[in-house]
Amino acid sequence: MNFIANNQLPLLLLFFLAGLIGTIFLFRKPAGHRAWKLADLVWVVLGGFGALVAVISGIYAADSSKLERQIDIAYAATAAFDRDAARFRLRFCDPAYDADIAVLCEKVEFLSASTAGNAELPLFIAVTDEVAPLQGLNFLFGTGGDDMEEMKHMEAKASAFNPEAFLVFTSLDAPAQAAVSNMRRKVPAIAGDYLIIARAYDDLITHVSKLKDEWEYLQANAHILVLQIIALCLVSFAAPFRLGKSIVELRRPR
């Protein structure tokens, strides 16, 4: 499968050349000959197969778009959490003038530290661009060996991406809940700000976990891209036969 993905243009040209050579031999046959009818059948069968694969690839393209949207949502959730956490630390944690505030400030620090792994999210964007249908068929420009090795490395890192590895803290554990309850009586605004951070953190966990699920689904169906290349090769092979049949019929005397 890697050979097919890495040699898309040569394979397409090779199949087209094979079809062209076969068509040249068929030119010895007159219009209406059984050979031309078989050539037409080959075109219909392989063209139908190509159309079916195109439909399947369209579904895969829609799934790729879902992944890209999920990446955007995860970035937005990350930005919202970082913004709220930074504002909370600046307003209430430098220094924390109350024991309950100190508990909440420490919790915000832990939550912020747990999301530091989100720097790996850009890997999903890069890899998604490569696995997306048609975009992944880089036969117009080609892909160098170094680029392929880099993409394999990035893909391996993205596959190893585990949200639970760095989103490990609960935003409202028992000490945090106690501190929030106390601050509701003393300074409700601080309690409210922390609850906004807790909600943003929980949303971030949800969106990043969903992002991982979308990624794994696409990886499990990545063979569709190889099937797409094979279909294009077969259509490239059959196209000269259909063209040759049309030329022969146009040249047939009326």
Side-chain angles (χ1 to χ4, degrees):
M1 285 177 54
N2 286 336
F3 174 81
I4 295 174
N6 297 340
N7 297 275
Q8 298 162 30
L9 178 58
L11 286 172
L12 284 170
L13 293 177
L14 182 63
F15 273 81
F16 182 78
L17 182 61
L20 199 60
I21 293 172
T23 303
I24 291 173
F25 281 109
L26 285 183
F27 273 124
R28 300 175 182 178
K29 307 294 182 182
H33 192 275
R34 179 180 175 83
W36 286 115
K37 294 179 180 179
L38 288 174
D40 199 32
L41 178 62
V42 168
W43 166 251
V44 170
V45 171
L46 296 185
F49 174 69
L52 177 62
V53 172
V55 171
I56 297 174
S57 299
I59 297 172
Y60 188 85
D63 291 332
S64 296
S65 298
K66 283 175 58 180
L67 177 63
E68 291 170 357
R69 287 194 299 272
Q70 192 60 39
I71 289 171
D72 292 338
I73 292 172
Y75 269 124
T78 303
F81 171 78
D82 289 342
R83 181 179 62 251
D84 293 338
R87 184 170 59 239
F88 188 92
R89 290 195 300 268
L90 286 173
R91 292 179 63 188
F92 307 119
C93 301
D94 194 19
Y97 59 84
D98 182 276
D100 290 315
I101 295 177
V103 170
L104 297 181
C105 288
E106 183 179 5
K107 192 65 179 177
V108 170
E109 289 292 342
F110 275 121
L111 296 179
S112 297
S114 75
T115 62
N118 271 332
E120 297 178 11
L121 283 177
L123 286 174
F124 284 96
I125 295 177
V127 176
T128 301
D129 287 340
E130 292 299 322
V131 303
L134 299 182
Q135 292 182 18
L137 303 178
N138 294 315
F139 52 81
L140 293 179
F141 304 100
T143 354
D146 293 340
D147 291 336
M148 288 302 301
E149 287 300 320
E150 182 180 357
M151 282 310 305
K152 288 178 181 178
H153 178 65
M154 292 172 65
E155 185 175 341
K157 290 187 68 175
S159 296
F161 181 78
N162 182 10
E164 300 302 324
F166 57 90
L167 300 173
V168 292
F169 300 105
T170 303
S171 59
L172 281 171
D173 56 11
Q177 287 180 349
V180 167
S181 297
N182 293 334
M183 292 310 299
R184 277 175 172 162
R185 294 192 298 270
K186 293 186 285 188
V187 188
I190 295 178
D193 282 354
Y194 180 80
L195 289 176
I196 290 173
I197 293 173
R199 190 177 302 114
Y201 180 80
D202 292 341
D203 288 343
L204 178 58
I205 292 177
T206 300
H207 292 311
V208 174
S209 298
K210 187 175 180 181
L211 174 61
K212 177 64 174 179
D213 292 339
E214 296 282 357
W215 164 257
E216 289 180 342
Y217 177 80
L218 282 181
Q219 285 297 94
N221 293 277
H223 60 276
I224 292 175
L225 293 178
V226 176
L227 185 63
Q228 188 178 29
I229 299 169
I230 294 173
L232 287 173
C233 288
L234 295 177
V235 171
S236 297
F237 172 76
F241 290 103
R242 186 63 185 86
L243 178 62
K245 181 176 182 293
S246 298
I247 293 174
V248 167
E249 289 181 348
L250 287 174
R251 292 168 55 186
R252 178 196 294 183
R254 298 293 179 184

